[in-house]
Amino acid sequence: MDRRSSAGVAAHVADPFRRPAVDLRSDTVTRPTAAMRQAMADADVGDDVYAEDPTVNALEAEVAALFGHEAALFVPSGTMGNQISLRLLAEPGQEILCDSDAHIVTYEMGAAAALFGLSTRTIPGGRGRFELDAYVPQVRPPDWHTVRTAVIAVENTHNRGGGSIQPFDELKALRAYAAEAGLSVHCDGARIWNAHVATDISLAEYGGLFDTLSVCPSKGLGAPVGSLIVSTRGRIASARVLRKRLGGGMRQAGVLAAAGRHALHHHVARLADDHGRARQLAEALDGHLNAGPETNIVVLDVAGEAHTLAAAARDEGVLISVVSPTRIRLVTHLDVDDDSIDRAVGVLTSLLGGAPGGANRAAR
Ligand SMILES: *Cc1c(COP(=O)(O)O)cnc(C)c1O
């Protein structure tokens, strides 16, 4: 990291006279490990716009097979993966139903509407959890008046829901209902690896429930860049056209795909460690816990103090994210080890007064 390019946080991280920060803001902050960088350096590459990059092709084939689908496409980001998927399943003027806190309607800059003329209708759910009974009455059949519901999208695990895992029985019921109602089903699976590791439900079982999935090696798996769309051969051929139209065609992208392959081969099972560390954080701070962590995300309620707390924690070298003025989020990942957890617990308990035994409870 370069001091010149860095205000605030980055400067803090780069300061050689301070211990490196414990960065719990997101699992997107991971940096490639030495072994991953070696795999990137060694990657065999070609022009992926010509579909001639052997490492990209290998990653695509491997991910398609993992999810039990015919094909996959490497794209620069999860946002592009989600939005291309939605466009594959819906025509302009049709609508998508999803949770009101879904990443596709919260953090993707209105892309479905802005780029593809898709409308979205959102349904509130506890921690983003899908419940078929809440969606069925909202589905509009085709007729001369109404907007046609084309897709139901679910997020697994759910980011703003605090890493919550979608109930598998509800997803199975959704698949059956969608087949009967003539709808398509998309999964924003940026963190589907976390759901897989936490539940032992295989990626292929998850894959079998969806028409399209977008999955990200660049979250807790630790790859620097890249996501994949998983679907049928026909849809992936269309996705390739949309990717190029959006400027997402990359050339010698094998250096990035190599990082994704390394992440898949070495960093999936270890997500269990991240889940264990999230539980440790939750236990130490349980007086403020919003809901028990199911995977690698811990959400804490901190009255109106989220911004003050984040600033104070940063001064102590612990970076956290502010979800709202009353809520903070801590995310464990590849670059957070046991020492990082001890340090974060020390700093946050002293700031929050949530130390075990309540020693600091009166302090703030
Ligand atoms: C991070 C994330 C994405 C993709 O984000 P990009 O930054 O575009 O790669 C998609 N969905 C969820 C739930 C996410 O957390």
Side-chain angles (χ1 to χ4, degrees), residues 28 77-79 82 103 108 155 157 159 188 190-191 216 218-219 227:
T28 56
S77 69
T79 297
N82 278 330
H103 195 280
E108 300 187 4
E155 187 172 315
T157 63
N159 181 343
D188 177 353
R191 296 189 182 81
C216 303
S218 65
K219 292 278 160 83
S227 295

